[in-house]
Amino acid sequence: MNVVVFDLETTGLSPERDAVVEIGAVRVVNGRIEETQKYETLVRPMGESGQPLLIPWRVERIHGISNEMVRHAPTMPEVLPEFLEFVGDSAVVAHNIGFDSGFMRANARRCGLVWQPAAEYCTVQLSRRAFPRERAHNLTVLAERLGLNFAPGGRHRSYGDVQVTAQAYLRLLDMLKVGA
């Protein structure tokens, strides 16, 4: 098993109108989270025409990433080739993979690149299989169900969410007796 668990923080919900402001990822090899093989960066949000995008205050309240924090960060055209190289030929995992992969596909297309991981796995879908009678499957609820804790200040920051998502992924696979 060799997967990259990743998470994005964004300026909003639309891959076409909004921008990525942070990427976090960690590699899982043979069922072990390899904390030394991680990827983490802030991203300066830019519009399609190259103009800077501002992080709306209501979104900043969620993830805590401010315009000042990303002022000197690299842009997506600088970050994306590096991140794609980190992922390599691995499968990817995310909590609500459709959201994160949608942003990656849109950004790759804008950068003249391709987002085409070997496979995509979703911890929301695994959670629904493991807990079919439960209605809520967001990452906070899933972490509580599995007895996992976020690092202080880690919730709604890419790498903090990735750490919990990676642990949840491994536990859900074990619960479901699934190999990926």
Side-chain angles (χ1 to χ4, degrees), residues 4-128:
V4 171
V5 180
F6 80 106
D7 181 69
L8 307 176
E9 298 302 331
T10 66
T11 61
L13 301 176
S14 170
E16 300 306 322
R17 290 187 309 275
D18 296 308
V20 173
V21 296
E22 187 176 45
I23 302 173
V26 69
R27 192 171 301 284
V28 175
V29 179
N30 297 323
R32 296 194 61 209
I33 300 166
E34 298 292 336
E35 290 284 346
T36 60
Q37 295 183 44
K38 69 179 187 175
Y39 185 90
E40 184 177 20
T41 187
L42 290 169
V43 181
R44 185 168 17 119
M46 305 293 277
E48 285 202 46
S49 62
Q51 82 281 11
L53 291 179
L54 294 177
I55 300 169
W57 65 269
R58 63 189 176 288
V59 176
E60 181 182 335
R61 282 188 13 209
I62 296 168
H63 53 51
I65 300 169
S66 68
N67 291 301
E68 183 59 34
M69 290 169 68
V70 298
R71 177 171 300 187
H72 300 292
T75 62
M76 189 55 93
E78 296 168 303
V79 167
L80 193 55
E82 186 179 273
F83 181 65
L84 292 176
E85 185 175 321
F86 178 80
V87 171
D89 61 359
S90 298
V92 294
V93 176
H95 195 76
N96 191 7
I97 191 80
F99 177 84
D100 297 278
S101 267
F103 269 89
M104 294 309 295
R105 271 190 300 282
N107 279 281
R109 185 179 63 252
R110 284 193 285 274
C111 293
L113 301 169
V114 176
W115 172 252
Q116 195 170 11
E120 296 181 339
Y121 301 106
C122 182
T123 51
V124 172
Q125 295 301 318
L126 291 172
S127 177
R128 287 181 177 143

